[in-house]
Amino acid sequence: MCVNMGRNRAYQPFKVREDLQKRIIGSPTLYFRELPSTNDMAKELALRGVREGTVVVARTQNKGRGRQERKWISPEGGLWLSILLRPRTNPKHAPVLTLLASVAVAKTLNRSFQLKSEIKWPNDVLVNMKKICGILTETRTKRETLEFAVVGIGINANFAVDALPAHLRDSSTTLQEELKREVERETLLHDLLLEIESSYKVFVKGQFTHILDEWRGLATFLGAEVEVESHREKVEGRAVNIDSYGALIVKLRNGTLRRVLSGDLRIIEKSESR
Ligand code: BTN
């Protein structure tokens, strides 16, 4: 299949390494100078039949999207990418793809830069309690089949936190801020895609428990007193677990367990033991 991406496509900020070309994830990797959103481009390509594992990278996004239809500010220097996946699985398992991606990001940041990254439900990767990465998975389903999933990953890499709007600066960080230097995005992308590739092989075998356990190991907020706010309700209690659909299990003050599907989590008090 031939996909004509036009002039925008010619830009290559960093090249994908040869060895990725033999793999599922990142073969091909398409680079763009500027896109509205890499997720939108990946979805468009998916509808045009491009193959599983196609990765879309943009140097900047002018309509980057976050969870709950929020804007995702995507300055130059960041790593903004989307991965197209076509797993033959029931759509109910799609949330595990987000968990898989957050684990892969946290592990890659820990391994490559010796940072201590952790995961905050539902899909944030934090360093020093500040958000360094967000993940947005979007799916298209037909009856009981998942036609495709697009996993969008935004990593704040080579820019100062001042490039973000004022209201996000206290709660966000970037690799540049944490390491006091710029990172090689080519290597970061390469390592991240390899990590995702190996977890995705586990996912397609249906071994979700392995992915969930890894997620729990990095989710240091588990055990903490939290508040989860969604457009429907505000829930307060102890975050005790996540289930296999990515829902957070909160133990309320009266001892009952509440399953929360979406919302923003705020840590009120961390537990002593973690
Ligand atoms: C969030 O934390 O709210 C999720 C943010 C996801 C941002 C990434 S950047 C690459 C991809 N393209 C988008 O428009 N969004 C995702």
Side-chain angles (χ1 to χ4, degrees), residues 76-77 113 157-160 174-185:
E76 291 205 9
F113 308 116
N158 296 333
F159 58 87
T174 71
L175 286 171
Q176 185 179 301
E177 299 276 351
E178 295 300 322
L179 301 167
K180 310 289 176 233
R181 65 174 170 90
E182 292 201 351
V183 301
E184 246 187 64
R185 281 174 296 161

Side-chain angles (χ1 to χ4, degrees), residues 36-40 56 61 63-68 70-72 74 79-82 123-124 131 133-138 150-155:
S37 152
T38 54
N39 267 30
D40 290 347
V56 176
Q61 303 181 112
K63 276 197 184 135
R65 279 182 292 110
R67 287 192 312 118
Q68 305 185 337
R70 291 185 187 127
K71 265 193 190 166
W72 180 262
S74 318
L79 183 55
W80 321 122
L81 70 133
S82 299
N123 52 15
D124 294 349
K131 182 161 172 168
C133 167
I135 296 163
L136 177 69
T137 300
E138 297 178 294
V150 166
V151 180
I153 303 176
I155 302 181

Side-chain angles (χ1 to χ4, degrees), residues 31 75 84 96 134 167 218 248 252 256:
Y31 293 98
L84 166 65
V96 180
H167 71 279
L218 288 159
L248 181 70
L252 307 182
T256 56

Side-chain angles (χ1 to χ4, degrees), residues 66-266:
R67 287 192 312 118
Q68 305 185 337
E69 296 304 320
R70 291 185 187 127
K71 265 193 190 166
W72 180 262
I73 307 297
S74 318
E76 291 205 9
L79 183 55
W80 321 122
L81 70 133
S82 299
I83 307 169
L84 166 65
L85 299 171
R86 299 182 186 277
R88 289 203 194 101
T89 184
N90 190 294
K92 68 181 182 193
H93 298 304
V96 180
L97 292 171
T98 309
L99 306 180
L100 174 164
S102 49
V103 170
V105 171
K107 281 169 77 177
T108 305
L109 299 186
N110 294 350
R111 196 174 298 144
S112 306
F113 308 116
Q114 290 73 51
L115 288 171
K116 206 183 156 309
S117 13
E118 46 195 329
I119 297 175
K120 191 180 95 168
W121 184 86
N123 52 15
D124 294 349
V125 178
L126 312 182
V127 171
N128 288 326
M129 299 301 285
K130 293 183 174 190
K131 182 161 172 168
I132 202 155
C133 167
I135 296 163
L136 177 69
T137 300
E138 297 178 294
T139 56
R140 185 174 156 112
T141 56
K142 211 182 228 172
R143 288 179 216 104
E144 289 301 281
T145 348
L146 182 60
E147 258 187 53
F148 64 78
V150 166
V151 180
I153 303 176
I155 302 181
N156 298 340
N158 296 333
F159 58 87
V161 87
D162 294 352
L164 297 174
H167 71 279
L168 295 175
R169 288 180 202 154
D170 285 348
S171 59
S172 307
T173 191
T174 71
L175 286 171
Q176 185 179 301
E177 299 276 351
E178 295 300 322
L179 301 167
K180 310 289 176 233
R181 65 174 170 90
E182 292 201 351
V183 301
E184 246 187 64
R185 281 174 296 161
E186 174 195 344
T187 311
L188 172 57
L189 176 65
H190 173 266
D191 295 349
L192 176 62
L193 296 186
L194 284 185
E195 194 63 55
I196 292 177
E197 170 112 12
S198 74
S199 312
Y200 185 59
K201 285 181 178 155
V202 174
F203 177 89
V204 292
K205 284 189 204 143
Q207 294 166 352
F208 307 129
T209 353
H210 179 76
I211 297 164
L212 288 163
D213 285 345
E214 279 207 300
W215 191 94
R216 289 181 187 114
L218 288 159
T220 48
F221 74 93
L222 286 178
E225 282 296 314
V226 299
E227 181 187 89
V228 189
E229 193 168 359
S230 70
H231 54 276
R232 283 178 42 222
E233 57 178 357
K234 198 189 248 186
V235 175
E236 252 189 69
R238 194 168 291 277
V240 288
N241 207 348
I242 52 154
D243 68 17
S244 53
Y245 303 106
L248 181 70
I249 312 298
V250 180
K251 188 170 192 179
L252 307 182
R253 301 253 153 79
N254 65 12
T256 56
L257 295 179
R258 174 75 70 84
R259 192 170 174 265
V260 188
L261 281 168
S262 65
D264 290 317
L265 180 138
R266 194 170 68 82

